[in-house]
Each structure stands twice: as structure tokens, then as C-alpha cells.
Amino acid sequence: MDAFLSFFSFADPNIRYVVIGCVLLAAGSAVVGCFTLLRRRSLSGDAVAHSVLPGVCVAFMLTGTKNSVVMLIGAFIAGWLSLILTDYIPRKSRIKEDTAIGVVLSVFFGLGILLLTTIQQSGAASQSGLDKFLFGKAASLVGGDLPIFAGLALVLILSVILFFKEFTLLSFDPGFAKSAGLPVRALELLLTTLTVLAVVEGIQATGVVLMAAMLITPAAAARYWTDRIGLMVILAALFGAFSGVAGAYISYVAPAMPTGPWIVMALSVLAFISFMFAPGRGVIWILILQRRNRHKIQEENMLKALYHLGEGEHDFFIPRTVLEINNKRPFPSRAFHTTLQRLRRQDLLTESGGAWAFTLKGKEQGQRMAKLHRLWEMYLTTILSIAPDHVHDDAETIEHIITPELERKLEELLEFPETDPHGEKIPY
């Protein structure tokens, strides 16, 4: 508790510098990463992150100093050049984009490691700590660095705000953007530049190895929570900011723990929660929806089986034994009994002495399922000219997803047919 209060009081200037720096780095990268993700250029972020290392090394070799501004300029030039190459190579050759990214990433990163090794073996006194650009070291952020990172973060966020509509159109429909008169190539170049800036901004905290995660993971997590791109960008920025604070706190409580990897771990936890529990898209939600749909199909099949039994004897309310129902339409034993119980709870069936009978509401539901099945069979044979003995299985599937609107359209299109292709009466 003492460590918690000490950290979140922000009384220590070093804590303030690290936390503010991490929040700016993570949030700024996440905002741009949304459009990188939507344009399916996620690997480009990884290519840029690994490609900035030679720029850092060359900047140091030319100046002999580890000045943050000089390092960032060198990193930006190298990263920008790598993205231009990954775009140019596929357009001017038969090499595909993923291959071009792999080649550029490997060549630049290999060159960076070679230059870094050369610098470390040169014996230069000022080269100490240069490897923090490889693995990151958020604790090296000092007060003098904050204006630089604040400025970069502000450029990223303001650029996204100013060109939000254009970037959105470019991400979803570049063909329409071009036909609408937008300067697509200029916008792509601007987005490329912002992507490089986002990577350059974050390498001091997480290093070139983990920077791609800072760019893509918040956007991927946010995508699971919303269909609106504006909200997605805001959520990604919040996820990035939270992970920045969480990473800084963990490294403060456990000084041996590096900040950058813990920022990525915090992002990974948020992404895992999103993948598993986000409403509408999460794995748990999908499993629940699949189970609900499976139950719905079982219930409708049970009602249809009872309706068919009633048709044969011209009485839909005769109680039916389990054996009668199962002989008409076999069900797995466990699903059979649980389906009957669910239908009773919904007041669609009643049970007396082990026999099951329709309620009025249940009979209407069973009749509708029989009607939809036979309408769809009629549609397949009449409109699509499919043989009558080939339509049953398809109708067994489609009948469960026909909406009332589509039902009316089928009736009108087929002019309210009286019987299906097998001579069975279509109940209205």
C-alpha cells in the first residue's frame, strides 16, 4: 500500500517523467495504430520498428552523442525509408507485400545490429546505454525528454483529428476516396509518416523489438468493443494510456522489471480480455450465441415434428409420448429431454403423465416452421429449378433464419402456393 500511495501521489519527479512519458508514447502510438490495423498493414509497424535501429546508430556515429532529438531524427529517416521501400517493391516488382516487408525488416535490422556491434567495440565512452533503443528503457526518460515526446504525441493526435474523415475513407474504400477527388497518394504518404513517427516516439520506452505491439495491440483490442471508428480510436488511446501507467507502476514496485515489456504485457492482458469477453465479438459471447442458436434450432425442430404428427391424424393437440416424437424425428437423448423442458417453460408445450401436447401458442410456432420449410422448398423448385428430391436438406437449414419480412416476400413471389413440391399442404 505504501508503494501504491507513493507511486500515485506522483511526488517524485522521476515517477512523473516516466508515467507521463509512457502514457504519451502508448496513447500516441495507439491512435495511429488504429488506421494501420484497418488498412491491414499491421506487419508494416513491425518492419518500421526493426528498421529504425540503423538510423539510430548512424545518427550516433555522425554526431558522437546520444542526444534524443538527433537519435529520433535518425530513427525517423530510417523508418520512413523502410516503409517507402515496402510500398515501392511490390508495386514495381513481382515480389508480394509480405515478402517485401520480411526482406526490408531483415536487412535493416541486420544492418542495425552490425552497426551497433561496431559502435560497442569502438571503445567510445559515449556509446554506453545505446542498446536501450534495442530493448527499451523507460526509466531513462528525463524531464528534458518530455517536451519532445509531448510534441510528437500532439502531432500524432492532432493529425488524426484533422484528417480523421480522410483516413477513415482511405482505410475502408481507397477506390472511392480516389474517385471522390481526394489526394490518395498524399494521404497514404502522410499516414506512413505518422506511423513512422509513432514508432520513433515509442522506441525509447519499449525498444525496436516490442514497438510493433504498442502500435497494433491497443487497436486490435479496441476493435472488439465497437463498430464505430471514432470510438475505436478513443478506446485504443485509453488502453494505451492505461498500459503505460500499469507498466510504469510494476517496474516501480519491482525495480528489476523493465517498464517496456510490462507495458506490452498490460496491453496483452487488455487484448485477451477483449478477445474473450467483448460483447458481440468475444469468444465467450460467440459461444453463448452458438449455444442459443443450437437450442433454438432444436426447439423449432421439435415443434415441427409434433406438427407433422398432428397433420397425420388431423388433430394437433393429442398428447404424444416420447417414443412417438422420437420416431418421427430422432434427437440425441440428452438434447431431447432438455428441449422438451425448455419448450414447457416457454409455454409452448404441456406435459401430463409422460405425454407432451401443444399449447395454442406452440401449435402456431410449429405450423409456422412447417410453412417456412415448404415455402423454401417451393422457392427452390419453382424459381431456381432444383429437383424436388434435392431441396429438403437445404430447407432444413434455411427455415430457421427466415425472417417475417422474407416470409412475406416468399409468399408474394410464389403467389401463395397451396402445396409444396411433394404435395404437402402449405399451412397459412
Side-chain angles (χ1 to χ4, degrees), residues 1-276:
M1 181 57 69
D2 290 341
F4 181 85
L5 294 175
S6 173
F7 180 85
F8 286 101
S9 67
F10 301 116
D12 187 339
N14 290 328
I15 294 177
R16 289 201 299 271
Y17 298 152
V18 172
V19 171
I20 295 173
C22 289
V23 168
L24 291 174
L25 297 175
S29 301
V31 167
V32 176
C34 290
F35 296 99
T36 304
L37 176 73
L38 292 173
R39 295 179 68 214
R40 297 178 175 84
R41 301 288 180 86
S42 300
L43 282 177
S44 298
D46 199 27
V48 175
H50 284 76
S51 300
V52 298
L53 186 58
V56 171
C57 294
V58 170
F60 174 81
M61 294 171 73
L62 292 176
T63 63
T65 177
K66 297 195 299 294
N67 182 279
S68 295
V69 176
V70 174
M71 298 291 101
L72 293 179
I73 291 174
F76 175 80
I77 293 173
W80 193 81
L81 179 60
S82 72
L83 264 192
I84 295 300
L85 285 174
T86 58
D87 181 58
Y88 179 82
I89 292 173
R91 286 194 294 110
K92 298 298 182 179
S93 70
R94 299 179 66 179
I95 296 176
K96 294 184 178 180
E97 185 179 11
D98 58 341
T99 306
I101 290 174
V103 170
V104 171
L105 183 154
S106 303
V107 171
F108 273 71
F109 190 61
L111 178 61
I113 294 295
L114 178 63
L115 293 175
L116 183 61
T117 304
T118 302
I119 292 171
Q120 289 176 333
Q121 293 177 353
S122 68
S126 57
Q127 60 86 23
S128 176
L130 193 61
D131 59 348
K132 72 173 181 284
F133 288 96
L134 186 60
F135 301 109
K137 190 175 181 182
S140 65
L141 295 171
V142 296
D145 294 327
L146 285 184
I148 299 171
F149 294 120
L152 287 176
L154 190 63
V155 167
L156 293 174
I157 293 170
L158 285 179
S159 298
V160 168
I161 293 173
L162 290 173
F163 294 95
F164 181 79
K165 181 179 69 175
E166 290 79 3
F167 286 164
T168 300
L169 194 54
L170 183 65
S171 300
F172 288 103
D173 198 341
F176 178 75
K178 188 173 183 179
S179 65
L182 293 178
V184 172
R185 289 298 300 164
L187 288 171
E188 288 179 340
L189 192 61
L190 175 59
L191 197 50
T192 296
T193 303
L194 293 178
T195 303
V196 177
L197 273 180
V199 172
V200 168
E201 182 194 31
I203 56 173
Q204 189 162 342
T206 59
V208 301
V209 177
L210 296 175
M211 188 53 217
M214 294 273 286
L215 190 69
I216 300 302
T217 307
R223 182 69 182 88
Y224 270 76
W225 294 94
T226 181
D227 286 325
R228 296 168 52 197
I229 187 171
L231 184 56
M232 175 185 169
V233 171
I234 294 172
L235 285 175
L238 291 176
F239 289 164
F242 172 81
S243 65
V245 175
Y249 174 71
I250 293 172
S251 63
Y252 173 77
V253 175
M257 297 289 185
T259 305
W262 275 108
I263 293 176
V264 175
M265 287 301 298
L267 279 174
S268 300
V269 170
L270 289 174
F272 177 79
I273 292 172
S274 300
F275 300 159
M276 293 300 295

